[in-house]
Amino acid sequence: MLDQTLLVFGLLLSVALLGVVGLFTVRHFRRKKSLRRTGLSAVRGLQQLLTLIQQHRGLSNAILHGDHSLQTAIVAVRPKVLTQIEHCEATSVWLKDDNQWREITLAWAKITADFSTFTSETSFQRHCDLIAMVLNIIVTTAQRTYLVGMRGVRQKNDLAYLWQDLLVVAEKIGQVRALGIGIAVDGYCSPDRNERLQFLLAEVINASEQLLCVIPNPEVIAANIARFVATVEERILLARPTISALDYFQIASDAIDSLYEHYQSEMRLLMAAAFR
């Protein structure tokens, strides 16, 4: 009789433990899914902010090299940055209490306040520092909200490249765009600037080759990057560049935009799946 009682007690205890484990598993899954929704919304908005700051950097360099025809364009970008900052804070309320985010908003405010005193090199570096902070908070957010390790909705591929590799390639192209537009405006490429740009372009080529190995259906992206690289090599890295600043900016932007269009496409699919 005692043995039967112990057996029944043991079975009941096992069932209870399984129930508790199951409950915690369900709660963990729900929390993880909720965090992923938060993370996807946040990184999507942060990438859009990143795009605007990169555009502002390129336009700033052109203006500081003397092309004031782009003044209208840069004036149009600045309120978009502020609107996107407000959008990020509205959709990801936790950002307001994040130290990294406070540094980002402060850095942007200083760039716009001090712009009239900048040299082209100061402007370039201050923008690059700000962009590095935005890239860092995207990676941090992806890690905190379980986005790292997610797989694609269509190809079921590893999406790790979205949070780092793709954004890094876009930023490297953005740096070459910003420096190259200054050369196009000046109509002259000094040996020092040539060497600097060649170094950055080599980084673009190496990083993009690695990215194109893991990104699904990369044909359009590959074609736009190849066109951009050829433009830099054949029309910017010359003693006398043979392309206008506006045309160069557009070709560089096409390469960056194709990367970000893929990014946003994957974000839309992931968000649709996360909210089912």
Side-chain angles (χ1 to χ4, degrees), residues 249-274:
F249 188 84
Q250 186 58 58
I251 290 169
S253 297
D254 288 344
I256 295 171
D257 290 347
S258 63
L259 287 164
Y260 286 154
E261 283 167 10
H262 174 82
Y263 186 95
Q264 289 295 332
S265 175
E266 291 294 333
M267 287 297 101
R268 286 191 292 271
L269 288 171
L270 289 170
M271 290 189 73

Side-chain angles (χ1 to χ4, degrees), residues 140-161:
T140 302
T141 301
Q143 292 171 341
R144 287 176 178 172
T145 58
Y146 298 100
L147 300 186
V148 176
M150 287 188 75
R151 305 195 76 79
V153 175
R154 290 174 298 193
Q155 284 87 2
K156 305 302 179 184
N157 55 312
D158 187 348
L159 294 178
Y161 72 90

Side-chain angles (χ1 to χ4, degrees), residues 120-261:
S120 60
E121 183 59 34
T122 301
S123 173
F124 178 78
Q125 194 55 57
R126 291 277 288 272
H127 279 89
C128 288
D129 291 343
L130 172 56
I131 289 165
M133 286 191 279
V134 177
L135 287 169
N136 188 54
I137 201 171
I138 289 174
V139 173
T140 302
T141 301
Q143 292 171 341
R144 287 176 178 172
T145 58
Y146 298 100
L147 300 186
V148 176
M150 287 188 75
R151 305 195 76 79
V153 175
R154 290 174 298 193
Q155 284 87 2
K156 305 302 179 184
N157 55 312
D158 187 348
L159 294 178
Y161 72 90
L162 283 178
W163 324 123
Q164 293 182 318
D165 299 349
L166 185 148
L167 298 179
V168 168
V169 171
E171 168 53 9
K172 289 182 184 297
I173 294 173
Q175 290 182 18
V176 176
R177 176 178 65 180
L179 293 174
I181 200 171
I183 292 170
V185 170
D186 291 343
Y188 172 69
C189 184
S190 68
D192 287 346
R193 293 164 86 183
N194 186 298
E195 183 179 355
R196 183 181 189 184
L197 209 57
Q198 285 203 50
F199 175 80
L200 287 172
L201 190 64
E203 289 193 331
V204 168
I205 293 169
N206 291 335
S208 61
E209 284 177 350
Q210 294 177 38
L211 174 65
L212 293 172
C213 289
V214 298
I215 198 169
N217 305 315
E219 292 79 14
V220 173
I221 294 172
N224 281 323
I225 292 176
R227 182 183 179 220
F228 167 68
V229 169
T231 299
V232 176
E233 291 177 335
E234 298 168 10
R235 305 192 66 184
I236 290 291
L237 291 173
L238 306 170
R240 296 293 177 187
T242 61
I243 188 170
S244 71
L246 191 59
D247 287 346
Y248 172 72
F249 188 84
Q250 186 58 58
I251 290 169
S253 297
D254 288 344
I256 295 171
D257 290 347
S258 63
L259 287 164
Y260 286 154
E261 283 167 10

